[in-house]
Amino acid sequence: MPDTLDLLVIGECVADIVRLPGTADRVHPGGSPANVAYGLARLGRTVTLLTQLGPDGHGALIRRHLVSAGVDVRTDRSAAATPSALVTLDDAGGAAYTFDVTWTLAATPPPRPPHHVHTGSIAAVAEPGATTVRAAIESLRATATVSYDPNVRPDLMGDHARAVRHAERCVALSDLVKASDEDLAWLYPGRPPQRVAEDWIATGGPGLVLVTRGAAGALAVTAQGGTAIAAPPTAVVDTVGAGDAFMSGALHALAARGLLGPAGRDGLRAPDAGTRADVLRHAVAAAAVTVGRAGASPPDPAELQAVLARV
């Protein structure tokens, strides 16, 4: 049966240039929102990505990559170069990024009204495009559920207080927020991640906050309580795109339960313990596949099911 749920992702594409000592640079299609769109399409979801791609080799590479999975790529008329990031890996495969990004997204209507909208990362903080992103979310949220991932990039966040205000505005517009423990430590130094999640929920913004904790697993927090899950044992190649695969896995599970779109909003904002556990299982399984191979390479349905069998 074809997927009838229209998902819209708004955000940047980035060419990840992975540099290792003694080897030639490897270029992987990346960018947090683009990775989420790609992951959703790989899992069979109908997804449109509203983004910017320059008239260059990196832009062509990324477009081919996204289209190969079935993403409907929509770009504005910007002629800016495709954003890039120099990626260096530590001995454990952890990734550090140095960005070259210009984000000037112009207002571009989606091809059809979406049921769910996802955004975050650089797109939600780098001006002038961030203003366009927030305006789009504000105009769509009456008829679509919204998810947000701050995916903090300290080098691009600018003034800390301003960055926190930007993040909190996006949180307030969202039904679902996903953040890493590292994101929350940067935004709110010294505050435990679960406390931050509870505070966000208490403001009347999101009903569900997902917190990733690397090898320690993940946490789902609602006003009704929290659910934790361990990460499946995985031989890590690199962590590029792990959080984005987690996000696409979570959205895929929520869609399967009918919790995305206006008809699912009440359920999305107050999922029961069984739903929280199922969403986390799908999310950590998707992330486990991705960290087990190079670059942002999320699973297809068969690969996801294989890991779910042991989570």
Side-chain angles (χ1 to χ4, degrees), residues 142 150 187 201 226 259 304:
L187 290 167
I201 290 168
L259 297 179
L304 181 64

Side-chain angles (χ1 to χ4, degrees), residues 128-171:
T131 296
T132 302
V133 172
R134 287 192 300 274
I137 297 300
E138 288 169 351
S139 69
L140 294 168
R141 68 187 301 267
T143 55
T145 46
V146 177
S147 56
Y148 166 65
D149 177 3
N151 194 38
V152 169
R153 304 302 190 192
D155 291 347
L156 299 177
M157 300 298 281
D159 175 74
H160 182 267
R162 172 186 169 278
V164 171
R165 289 195 300 271
H166 271 286
E168 290 178 346
R169 286 180 64 186
C170 292
V171 167

Side-chain angles (χ1 to χ4, degrees), residues 213-225:
R213 302 186 293 181
L219 177 69
V221 181
T222 68
Q224 293 73 37

Side-chain angles (χ1 to χ4, degrees), residues 60-295:
L61 170 71
I62 293 172
R63 184 182 291 275
R64 287 195 302 270
H65 169 75
L66 293 166
V67 170
S68 73
V71 179
D72 181 3
V73 181
R74 302 291 175 123
T75 58
D76 67 8
R77 297 182 179 275
S78 169
T82 301
S84 63
L86 178 62
V87 183
T88 55
L89 304 175
D90 62 23
D91 292 341
Y97 299 81
T98 303
F99 289 93
D100 182 5
V101 174
T102 300
W103 180 244
T104 59
L105 185 73
T108 305
R112 54 197 171 272
H115 299 104
H116 181 83
V117 186
H118 174 75
T119 193
S121 194
I122 298 167
V125 71
E127 297 291 2
T131 296
T132 302
V133 172
R134 287 192 300 274
I137 297 300
E138 288 169 351
S139 69
L140 294 168
R141 68 187 301 267
T143 55
T145 46
V146 177
S147 56
Y148 166 65
D149 177 3
N151 194 38
V152 169
R153 304 302 190 192
D155 291 347
L156 299 177
M157 300 298 281
D159 175 74
H160 182 267
R162 172 186 169 278
V164 171
R165 289 195 300 271
H166 271 286
E168 290 178 346
R169 286 180 64 186
C170 292
V171 167
L173 294 170
S174 302
D175 301 285
L176 162 66
V177 176
K178 172 260 169 188
S180 71
D181 51 4
E182 293 178 345
D183 293 337
L184 299 182
W186 189 89
L187 290 167
Y188 305 102
R191 291 169 64 181
Q194 183 163 345
R195 175 63 184 277
V196 175
E198 291 167 348
D199 288 348
W200 278 348
I201 290 168
T203 65
L208 172 62
V209 178
L210 305 177
V211 180
T212 60
R213 302 186 293 181
L219 177 69
V221 181
T222 68
Q224 293 73 37
T227 301
I229 192 170
T234 306
V236 176
V237 174
D238 67 48
T239 62
V240 176
D244 306 322
F246 180 99
M247 185 80 248
S248 58
L251 291 173
H252 176 64
L254 289 164
R257 286 176 169 260
L259 297 179
L260 299 185
R265 174 167 274 139
D266 289 345
L268 174 60
R269 296 182 63 83
D272 60 29
T275 298
R276 296 195 300 266
D278 184 59
V279 169
L280 288 175
R281 287 179 62 248
H282 280 78
V284 299
V289 173
T290 302
V291 301
R293 51 200 187 193

